[in-house]
Amino acid sequence: AQGQFCDAEMAAPSLSALALVACVVLLCADPFASAFAGPTVPIVDGPSLRRGSLEAPWPVTARPTARSSANRSNLWQAAVAFVAALTWARSNREESAVTQFALKKLFVRQWAPEPIPPSARRPPEDRIRIRMSAYHPVHLQECVECFQELARQTGGEVEGPEVLSPSMLKLVINKSPKGHKKAKYKLTRIEYKWQIDYYPPKEGGLDAIMKLNVPNNVKLEML
């Protein structure tokens, strides 16, 4: 089937590269931000204060103010938020990995249209509802395949199967013939029930369903 082409060549830089460049720019801008953050407060020792002079014979260290620390922390928070936003945008892209990293043009995926069920196209008068029951689901599946093969040969249609609630029968039987012991047989019988809708061809052919060979373990009932 012919399909449209989609340009899968990633000519623009990827989001990972943009995130890496953003981190490098923010790290390089960190010293400049701290240089213009504001004045620093000198740390003066006790002997200098007791002499009444701020000039000390030893070098005076400086401590950055809370303003410069806040600016640096805000810068790092902005960097982390920017990288997180880019990562989130990359993870939520609609294109698949094959489309993003392909080196050539790819076909657009075109799915086959879903068929319209017969119940939406044909009147309910044409419908033959068949209820099947058996003691094992495998026999029901074989019966459904028989109806589908019949519809394929005669031009009819089958819709289903629909799984119905099974009926369960539990039996408790004494092992002893006189029943004076507690030993008992516990038996469980489950009858599975499926239901299909058969639509015969419009030109006739309803008699073919009466000659259909189905498994002998399946009980059929037409509703």
Side-chain angles (χ1 to χ4, degrees):
Q2 296 181 356
Q4 301 177 355
F5 282 99
C6 65
D7 190 7
E9 297 177 358
M10 303 300 294
S14 61
L15 293 178
S16 302
L18 291 177
L20 183 60
V21 171
C23 292
V24 172
V25 170
L26 291 173
L27 290 177
C28 294
D30 189 19
F32 295 100
S34 61
F36 295 99
T40 58
V41 179
I43 301 175
V44 183
D45 296 328
S48 299
L49 292 177
R50 285 195 296 270
R51 288 196 300 267
S53 175
L54 294 176
E55 297 179 358
W58 48 85
V60 178
T61 59
R63 179 185 301 167
T65 60
R67 179 182 175 185
S68 62
S69 301
N71 290 339
R72 188 175 292 106
S73 62
N74 292 336
L75 190 62
W76 276 104
Q77 291 177 3
V80 173
F82 185 70
V83 173
L86 288 178
T87 306
W88 176 81
R90 181 177 180 83
S91 62
N92 289 349
R93 295 189 66 171
E94 296 182 357
E95 296 86 358
S96 61
V98 177
T99 306
Q100 293 180 18
F101 302 103
L103 300 179
K104 60 181 181 179
K105 295 182 179 180
L106 302 176
F107 280 103
V108 176
R109 292 181 178 177
Q110 294 183 349
W111 305 104
E114 296 182 359
I116 301 176
S119 57
R121 294 183 287 102
R122 302 185 60 173
E125 292 81 9
D126 297 345
R127 181 188 65 193
I128 301 176
R129 180 157 291 177
I130 302 172
R131 182 172 298 176
M132 304 173 293
S133 58
Y135 295 112
H136 202 284
V138 174
H139 305 313
L140 297 178
Q141 182 63 34
E142 293 177 357
C143 188
V144 170
E145 293 176 358
C146 292
F147 278 98
Q148 291 176 351
E149 185 66 23
L150 174 65
R152 192 179 301 108
Q153 293 176 358
T154 60
E157 294 174 306
V158 175
E159 184 176 354
E162 179 184 356
V163 180
L164 304 178
S165 299
S167 59
M168 184 179 300
L169 177 63
K170 294 184 178 181
L171 301 175
V172 180
I173 304 174
N174 295 328
K175 289 186 178 181
S176 175
K178 296 184 178 180
H180 62 278
K181 296 287 185 180
K182 294 183 179 180
K184 297 178 182 297
Y185 292 107
K186 296 182 180 180
L187 306 178
T188 303
R189 190 184 67 176
I190 302 176
E191 186 178 9
Y192 300 92
K193 297 179 181 180
W194 288 9
Q195 181 176 286
I196 63 172
D197 293 337
Y198 177 74
Y199 291 84
K202 297 181 180 180
E203 59 273 5
L206 184 59
D207 298 337
I209 195 174
M210 306 303 297
K211 301 178 182 179
L212 182 63
N213 293 325
V214 297
N216 57 353
N217 298 325
V218 180
K219 178 183 176 182
L220 298 180
E221 181 181 2
M222 292 187 181
L223 305 179

